[in-house]
């Protein structure tokens, strides 16, 4: 048929071959260009630049990455002008030229405006300080008719006026009124509280932080109060502005849950004995016995230490042994401790 006569023409096949070669060539050039443009198969491991001077880091790695500075913040104790955070994180596999987003520390500390705390209540003043990025250093109580009313605000021993520039994170001393009535306050139960929460609880109770003893070390989020002096009791009051000494343990080394279980058991037993109308002395012995154990146990995660640590007893002033009932652990010898002992002994390491 005439329609298919071109199939016998050799120039048709030559043209077809040329067209195929052109199409293949175009595809090859396109993919080669894309591969070169996207750097397919070429990856770099992101280095750890945290702590490096930002200018130095950008100079060293300028050929591998593109740096984008997101923010500059003041971080106490961190080198000025250093890389504080990076994204992608160290070790990530990226292509050459990838954007690296950086947050660095500022050269100068961040400055905030001092709020006006005068005539505010102590709690209102603490909220205002927190909003401004400041904190309470200590409370100084003086004679004044309004209890817990802020009379003056001071920084480094000098009066600081409202709207003055102050470094963010600074600790402000508050001069507070004693009031005309009762000049005492109840102790907060700090044991089990995180370090930052405990300091806030102390100030809210119109008290000051005293000595801080770190039995364990670590990040603040893992540090909790394991002891306090004076020891907490719901009926104990102390003068306004008194100091409270605290001991910190890390929940990575100290079984805080076990401690809280023992404390809850003490409270439930005391309540049960009160309902049964046991004598005041008997209930006091129960409370003192539990309190002694709570102060002196190590509350270790170690199973062997736990068993031995659970068996504790001491002798009261009349010679009677006050001992917790753990009969399954009686294979261990017990040590009788004089009940009339200086309470500072309980806090000695």
């Amino acid at each position: 048929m005439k329609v298919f006569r071109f199939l016998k023409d050799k120039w048709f096949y030559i043209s077809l071959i040329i067209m195929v070669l052109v199409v293949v060539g175009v595809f090859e050039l396109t993919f080669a260009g894309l591969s070169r443009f996207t750097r397919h198969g070429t990856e770099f491991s992101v280095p750890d630049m945290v702590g490096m001077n930002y200018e130095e880091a950008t100079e060293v790695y300028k050929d591998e990455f593109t740096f984008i500075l997101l923010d500059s913040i003041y971080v106490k104790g961190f080198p000025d002008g250093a890389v504080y955070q990076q994204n992608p994180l160290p070790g990530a596999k990226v292509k050459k030229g990838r954007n690296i987003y950086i947050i660095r520390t500022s050269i100068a500390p961040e400055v905030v405006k001092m709020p006006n705390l005068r005539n505010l209540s102590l709690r209102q003043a603490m909220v205002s300080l927190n909003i401004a990025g400041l904190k309470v250093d200590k409370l100084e109580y003086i004679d004044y008719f309004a209890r817990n009313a802020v009379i003056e605000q001071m920084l480094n021993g000098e009066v600081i006026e409202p709207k003055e520039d102050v470094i963010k994170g600074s600790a402000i001393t508050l001069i507070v009124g004693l009031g005309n009535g009762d000049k005492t306050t109840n102790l907060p139960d700090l044991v089990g509280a995180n370090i930052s929460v405990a300091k806030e609880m102390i100030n809210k109770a119109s008290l000051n932080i005293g000595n801080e003893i770190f039995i364990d070390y670590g990040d603040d989020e893992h540090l909790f109060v394991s002891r306090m002096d004076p020891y907490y009791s719901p009926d104990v009051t102390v003068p306004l502005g008194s100091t409270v000494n605290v001991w910190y343990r890390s929940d990575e080394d100290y079984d805080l849950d076990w401690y809280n279980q023992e404390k809850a058991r003490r409270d439930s037993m005391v309540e049960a004995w009160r309902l049964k109308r046991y004598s005041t002395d008997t209930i006091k012995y129960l409370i003192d016995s539990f309190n002694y154990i709570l102060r002196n146990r190590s509350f270790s995660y170690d199973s062997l230490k736990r068993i031995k640590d659970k068996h504790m007893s001491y002798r009261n002033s009349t010679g009677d042994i006050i001992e917790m009932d753990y009969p399954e652990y009686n294979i261990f010898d017990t040590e009788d401790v004089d009940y009339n002992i200086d309470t500072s002994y309980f806090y000695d390491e």
Side-chain angles (χ1 to χ4, degrees):
M1 294 176 66
K2 293 183 178 181
V3 177
F4 298 103
R5 187 180 301 169
F6 68 90
L7 295 175
K8 297 179 180 179
D9 190 343
K10 66 178 182 179
W11 289 108
F12 167 74
Y13 292 103
I14 293 173
S15 299
L16 183 63
I17 292 172
I18 292 173
M19 289 176 62
V20 170
L21 290 175
V22 169
V23 170
V24 170
V26 169
F27 272 99
E28 285 292 329
L29 288 173
T30 300
F31 282 112
L34 286 173
S35 177
R36 182 177 180 182
F37 179 76
T38 60
R39 300 179 179 89
H40 181 69
T42 304
E43 290 185 331
F44 292 84
S45 180
V46 178
D48 185 359
M49 291 173 277
V50 174
M52 286 183 64
N53 180 274
Y54 174 71
E55 302 298 337
E56 180 183 339
T58 55
E59 181 63 28
V60 171
Y61 299 109
K62 64 181 180 181
D63 294 333
E64 287 82 15
F65 311 107
T66 300
F67 290 89
I68 298 177
L69 182 63
L70 294 179
D71 196 8
S72 293
I73 59 174
Y74 175 71
V75 181
K76 186 177 180 180
F78 210 81
D80 293 341
V83 176
Y84 184 63
Q85 292 180 4
Q86 66 177 77
N87 184 29
L89 297 175
K93 300 295 184 182
V94 299
K95 295 173 183 176
K96 186 175 182 179
R98 168 67 187 270
N99 291 341
I100 305 295
Y101 299 94
I102 298 293
I103 295 177
R104 73 174 182 183
T105 55
S106 55
I107 305 301
E110 185 177 351
V111 173
V112 298
K113 297 295 183 181
M114 180 66 198
N116 186 5
L117 308 178
R118 294 165 182 153
N119 298 318
L120 295 182
S121 70
L122 176 58
R123 295 206 172 210
Q124 289 174 323
M126 290 178 63
V127 171
S128 296
L129 284 174
N130 185 56
I131 293 173
L134 304 171
K135 58 187 178 181
V136 177
D137 180 21
K138 62 179 178 178
L139 308 177
E140 293 185 4
Y141 279 85
I142 63 174
D143 287 328
Y144 188 70
F145 71 92
R147 176 182 168 117
N148 278 334
V150 177
I151 304 164
E152 194 53 272
Q153 50 197 36
M154 304 184 72
L155 176 63
N156 299 325
E158 296 183 359
V159 173
I160 180 168
E161 297 294 337
K163 297 185 179 181
E164 280 192 35
D165 289 340
V166 58
I167 295 174
K168 188 174 183 178
S170 296
I172 307 299
T173 297
L174 300 179
I175 310 300
V176 193
L178 279 170
N180 293 326
D182 183 19
K183 295 179 175 58
T184 64
T185 183
N186 292 95
L187 286 167
D189 188 0
L190 303 175
V191 175
N194 178 265
I195 180 172
S196 57
V197 174
K199 292 178 179 179
E200 184 177 353
M201 290 172 65
I202 287 173
N203 290 144
K204 282 184 176 179
S206 305
L207 300 169
N208 286 304
I209 189 79
N211 295 324
E212 297 180 271
I213 299 93
F214 292 83
I215 300 174
D216 301 320
Y217 290 91
D219 296 334
D220 282 359
E221 63 183 31
H222 290 292
L223 291 177
F224 292 79
V225 177
S226 64
R227 300 177 185 178
M228 56 181 288
D229 180 28
Y231 195 73
Y232 169 77
S233 178
D235 21 357
V236 170
T237 59
V238 294
L240 294 171
S242 298
T243 58
V244 180
N245 302 320
V246 289
W247 282 252
Y248 298 119
R249 296 296 308 266
S250 169
D251 62 2
E252 296 176 316
D253 302 301
Y254 181 81
D255 195 339
L256 192 68
D257 290 337
W258 181 22
Y259 178 94
N260 288 331
Q261 289 173 14
E262 291 296 288
K263 191 164 68 168
R265 195 156 73 123
R266 174 200 65 190
D267 296 339
S268 62
M269 287 181 66
V270 168
E271 184 60 26
W273 283 22
R274 280 177 176 157
L275 291 174
K276 291 181 180 180
R277 297 186 178 180
Y278 280 32
S279 70
T280 304
D281 286 343
T282 302
I283 294 176
K284 184 178 185 302
Y285 289 152
L286 172 68
I287 294 173
D288 288 343
S289 181
F290 261 108
N291 287 350
Y292 174 80
I293 290 172
L294 289 173
R295 295 175 199 176
N296 287 276
R297 273 193 186 159
S298 63
F299 288 94
S300 170
Y301 284 106
D302 185 276
S303 57
L304 294 178
K305 287 183 179 179
R306 272 175 101 105
I307 294 175
K308 191 168 184 179
D309 199 35
K310 274 189 172 183
H311 193 76
M312 300 180 67
S313 67
Y314 67 101
R315 193 180 299 276
N316 63 32
S317 57
T318 62
D320 299 324
I321 293 179
I322 307 300
E323 183 173 356
M324 302 317 299
D325 185 17
Y326 292 106
E328 64 268 37
Y329 304 123
N330 282 346
I331 55 173
F332 296 100
D333 295 331
T334 62
E335 178 182 359
D336 297 333
V337 182
D338 186 3
Y339 172 72
N340 290 326
I341 193 167
D342 183 355
T343 55
S344 62
Y345 166 84
F346 297 147
Y347 301 98
D348 292 339
E349 291 303 313

